[in-house]
Amino acid sequence: MGTDELYPADRLTAARRATAAAGLDALLLTPGSDLRYLTGYDAHAGERLTCLVLPAEGEPTLIVPTLERPAAEASPAPGTGVRIVDHADGTDPYPLVTAALGGPVGAVGLADRMWAEQVLGLRAALPDATQRLASEVLRELRIRKSPAEVAALAEAGAAIDAVHERMGQWLRPGRTEVEVATDIAAAIRAAGHLSVDFVIVAAGPNGASPHHGTSDRPIGAGEPVVVDIGGTMPSGYRSDCTRTYVAGGRPPAEFTDYYAVLREAQRAAVAAVRPGITAEALDAVGRDLIAAAGYGDAFLHRTGHGIGLDGHEEPYVVAGNPRPIEAGMAFSIEPGIYLAGRHGARIEDIVVCTSDGGQRLNTTPTELIAL
C-alpha cells in the first residue's frame, strides 16, 4: 500500500472544513499522530518548533527547523499540498506561525499532546486567541479507519501474531521476565515493526498487575504468564496483542477455572461487535459473564481502547461511554481477571467493526497455551 493511500491529500481539506464547523480559525499541530495523520510526516519531537499551521481558510504551512527540512521534504507532506517554511537555530519561530495564519485569529485548536513550552509560546505569540483542543476536530476524522488503515492494522496484527507464535522459544521456567522480554523485543523488530512500544511479561503474582512490565524474577514451573506486546510498523500503525501462557508444569486449578470464564467472555465480546452497539454495552458483554462467575471485582479495567496511529485512542470500550460503534472503528477487546498476590490472565485481540459485525485482526488461538 502506498503512502498516498494511507495519507491522502484530501484529509487536509476535510480537516479545514471540520475546523471551520467547530468554530476554530486554525489548527496548530506539533509532532505526533495528528500531524502524521494529516501530512504523513513522522516528525521528530524536540525543543525546536515543528508546527503544522492549518487555517480554516487558506494555505497550510509546515514550519520546521532548518536542519529537519530535508526530512520533511522527503516525507509525504509535500504531496498533500503543504508549504514548508524553516527556521534556523537561534531565531524565533513563533512569528512564522502568526504569518502563516494570515491575520488575527479568535480561536485555535492545539494538538492534545503538545509540549507545555510550545503551548505557552503560542499563547504569547497569539495573546488574543482562545486555545482549544484539536481533538474536537480530528477525533471524528480519525475514529473511523479507511480501508488502507484497516489493511495497515491487519499487517501490524499479523506481525505481532508471528511473535506470539514463537513464544515457546523463549518462555520457560527458570528464565527471568527481563530475559524473556529482551528476546521478545528483538523478535518484534524482526517481524517487521519499526519500533517496540511495550513488552509485558508478568509471571505468577506479577500477572495480577495489568501494567506490570518486567522484573528480574525467575519464572516458576506451572506459573501463568501474561504476555502483552506491541509495536509500531513503518506505516505508523500499531499492534497490540495479549496471550496468557503456562511455562511448564500444571497451573493452579483455580487459575484454569477462571481462565475458561475469561476466554468465554472475550469470545462473547468479540462476537458482539457490530454497528450500533454502544461502547458501554460492548463493555458489559464480557464483564457481565465475568461478574456472574464471581470474578467481577477482579476485572480491573475497561474492555478496550481504539488503536491506529496511537496505541490508545478513540473509541474507548468502557462503562459510561454511550457512543455507538460504527463500521471502520478499530479497537481492542481485552478482558482480564487478576487475583492480587496469586496470578492473573488477559486475552486481547484487535477487532475492526465491519458493516455487519466484527473482524479479528489477531488470529492466534485464545486457548490457554502450555509451553
Side-chain angles (χ1 to χ4, degrees), residues 190-208:
H193 293 82
L194 190 64
S195 61
V196 179
D197 292 343
F198 55 89
V199 177
I200 293 173
V201 179
N206 291 336

Side-chain angles (χ1 to χ4, degrees), residues 291-315:
Y295 297 103
D297 291 342
F299 184 3
L300 305 176
H301 52 74
R302 64 197 173 204
T303 290
H305 57 81
I307 190 169
L309 287 171
D310 284 316
H312 287 189
E313 60 183 52
E314 300 278 356

Side-chain angles (χ1 to χ4, degrees), residues 9 11 20 51 88 112 121 192 268 368:
R11 282 184 180 167
C51 184
D112 287 25
L368 182 62

Side-chain angles (χ1 to χ4, degrees), residues 209-290:
S209 174
H211 282 176
H212 162 69
T214 59
S215 75
D216 290 327
R217 181 184 181 278
I219 297 168
E223 285 188 333
V225 186
V226 178
V227 178
D228 185 354
I229 54 178
T232 301
M233 299 292 284
S235 65
Y237 286 77
R238 311 287 186 115
S239 65
D240 187 357
C241 183
T242 308
R243 294 292 183 262
T244 301
Y245 300 88
V246 176
R250 185 184 298 273
E254 172 189 42
F255 173 83
T256 303
D257 289 345
Y258 75 70
Y259 189 87
V261 173
L262 177 65
R263 183 166 182 256
E264 179 188 4
Q266 201 265 352
R267 286 164 61 92
V270 170
V273 174
R274 64 183 187 277
I277 189 172
T278 65
E280 60 187 356
L282 184 55
D283 176 83
V285 170
R287 192 174 303 277
D288 288 350
L289 288 171
I290 290 171

Side-chain angles (χ1 to χ4, degrees), residues 3 39-43 62 68-80 82 84:
T3 55
T39 68
Y41 180 34
D42 184 19
L62 180 61
E68 292 172 14
R69 181 165 188 146
E73 290 178 336
S75 79
T80 65
V82 300
I84 297 176

